[in-house]
């Protein structure tokens, strides 16, 4: 018989808690090329996803598969170095499973980072964007299926998926740190192909500033679980339909790597000030 979602979460949580006494308050997901923040976590335990019961395994380029628990900016954190995407063949529920495990471990805030294509003409490759809202264009939803009321409501509210106070705090810190930052709407798609010119035009038209292949299913489950969310995108390419260059993943990973020290500094300061 298939083990229930609640029991799978429990088994994964107990596996982690047998290996570390740390009870994290903040969860962090490190996206494409942004794994270096893990290096800033002090006194950490490292667990490979492949060893954790029911955890998926990352196969995406630029994504490692480790869970870190330790101290960052004086706070107890759990960080995922590498995430899961729909294009790898995982269901949206599988993608979001680790968020439910981190929730049971005790987090009340999730910090998301990702690489995204910039469609707002003011955005430059290498800029950062604080996510103020999102559009779910994956064609599915991680909450489809029977709802376990002990995990969250059947019809969760989405009027403020990204916490206003954290958006303002992050923007203030970025300005103090002289980091070029924007606010914007992130649209989540499945990939794996990058968009056509007509699709970029469409995504811009429906109100998005940046597009990417992650984050949205994770945030839906985080909100279902009652977590506060902060999302930061690294703009890795400029997706202006009338001057679109062929996209090159190696170039995008390089842009994300170059922006990594900025995001690391920003997230660390935000965590310190929370
Ligand atoms: N499209 C979709 N996902 C992305 C992009 C893009 O242009 N850039 C980085 N992730």
């Amino acid at each position: 018989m298939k083990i229930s979602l609640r029991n799978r979460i429990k088994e994964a949580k107990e596996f982690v808690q047998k290996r570390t006494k740390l009870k994290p308050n903040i969860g962090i997901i490190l996206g494409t090329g942004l794994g270096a923040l893990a290096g800033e976590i002090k006194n950490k335990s490292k667990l490979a996803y492949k060893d954790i019961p029911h955890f998926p395994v990352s196969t995406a380029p630029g994504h490692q598969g480790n869970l870190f628990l330790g101290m960052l900016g004086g706070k107890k954190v759990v960080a995922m170095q590498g995430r899961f995407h729909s294009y790898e063949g995982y269901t949206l529920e599988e993608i979001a499973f680790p968020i439910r495990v981190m929730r049971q471990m005790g987090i009340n805030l999730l910090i998301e980072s990702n690489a995204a294509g910039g469609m707002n003409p003011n955005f430059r490759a290498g800029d950062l964007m604080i996510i103020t809202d999102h559009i779910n264009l994956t064609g599915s939803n991680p909450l489809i299926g029977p709802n376990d009321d002990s995990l969250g409501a059947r019809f969760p509210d989405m009027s403020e998926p990204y916490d206003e106070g954290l958006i303002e705090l992050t923007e203030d810190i970025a300005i103090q740190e002289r980091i070029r930052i924007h606010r914007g709407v992130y649209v989540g798609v499945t990939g794996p192909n990058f968009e056509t010119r007509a699709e970029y035009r469409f995504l811009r038209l429906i109100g998005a500033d940046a597009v990417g292949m992650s984050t949205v299913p994770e945030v839906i489950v985080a909100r279902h679980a009652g977590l506060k969310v902060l999302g930061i995108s690294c703009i890795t390419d400029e997706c202006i339909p009338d001057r679109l260059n062929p996209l090159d993943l190696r170039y995008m990973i390089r842009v994300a790597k170059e922006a990594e020290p900025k995001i690391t500094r920003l997230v660390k300061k935000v965590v310190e000030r929370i």
Side-chain angles (χ1 to χ4, degrees):
M1 206 185 80
K2 197 165 181 270
I3 311 171
S4 72
L5 174 61
R6 204 186 326 177
N7 283 333
R8 279 181 280 143
I9 297 168
K10 187 162 169 273
E11 286 181 17
K13 179 193 85 163
E14 285 173 356
F15 178 91
V16 175
Q17 287 184 334
K18 276 206 192 97
R19 281 150 190 87
T20 167
K21 294 216 168 4
L22 188 121
K23 294 240 183 302
N25 304 111
I26 301 174
I28 308 175
I29 303 185
L30 306 168
T32 306
L34 304 172
L37 183 65
E40 297 285 319
I41 301 172
K42 305 285 177 251
N43 301 326
K44 57 182 176 274
S45 313
K46 175 178 174 181
L47 286 85
Y49 293 163
K50 65 175 170 39
D51 297 330
I52 306 174
H54 315 296
F55 247 60
V57 176
S58 319
T59 66
H63 286 258
Q64 295 165 57
N66 298 305
L67 196 68
F68 290 99
L69 290 103
M71 301 299 293
L72 180 75
K75 305 278 165 37
K76 293 176 194 155
V77 303
V78 51
M80 291 176 63
Q81 191 185 42
R83 59 147 62 87
F84 312 105
H85 307 79
S86 168
Y87 63 74
E88 295 172 84
Y90 294 116
T91 65
L92 300 191
E93 188 196 280
E94 287 168 329
I95 290 169
F97 177 74
I99 287 132
R100 292 180 151 141
V101 176
M102 294 191 288
R103 171 69 175 143
Q104 290 302 312
M105 280 159 41
I107 69 163
N108 46 41
L109 162 64
L110 179 67
I111 303 180
E112 292 264 358
S113 66
N114 61 45
M119 297 180 295
N120 182 318
N122 295 326
F123 294 3
R124 297 284 164 267
D127 286 355
L128 304 186
M129 182 189 92
I130 308 173
I131 307 176
T132 54
D133 207 344
H134 74 223
I135 301 173
N136 177 13
L137 223 64
T138 62
S140 190
N141 192 299
L143 304 178
I144 289 175
N147 188 62
D148 181 337
D149 293 340
S150 71
L151 300 177
R154 171 75 290 187
F155 300 107
D157 174 62
M158 283 288 159
S159 60
E160 189 187 324
Y162 301 85
D163 186 83
E164 262 308 319
L166 291 171
I167 292 171
E168 276 175 25
L169 175 68
T170 305
E171 193 174 51
D172 286 349
I173 293 173
I175 292 166
Q176 278 163 20
E177 294 287 313
R178 299 184 186 283
I179 294 171
R180 197 174 138 91
I181 201 140
H182 310 276
R183 291 181 179 215
V185 174
Y186 176 96
V187 58
V189 296
T190 63
N193 63 277
F194 293 115
E195 289 65 31
T196 65
R197 290 168 197 264
E199 286 165 343
Y200 283 127
R201 211 172 276 121
F202 165 74
L203 296 175
R204 181 75 185 131
L205 197 67
I206 62 169
D209 297 285
V211 52
M213 304 176 194
S214 69
T215 304
V216 167
E218 297 159 357
V219 173
I220 291 172
V221 165
R223 294 302 299 145
H224 179 251
L227 299 177
K228 280 191 181 183
V229 178
L230 170 67
I232 303 172
S233 293
C234 172
I235 303 300
T236 53
D237 48 298
E238 295 170 23
C239 310
I240 308 299
D242 297 323
R243 55 173 170 85
L244 190 65
N245 295 315
L247 297 190
D248 175 344
L249 181 71
R250 280 169 313 181
Y251 168 78
M252 288 165 41
I253 291 181
R254 200 169 76 221
V255 173
K257 276 262 161 257
E258 281 169 13
E260 196 166 42
K262 275 194 296 196
I263 300 205
T264 303
R265 189 151 50 93
L266 183 61
V267 171
K268 201 174 155 189
K269 296 249 167 190
V270 169
V271 168
E272 262 169 27
R273 294 262 298 269
I274 281 169

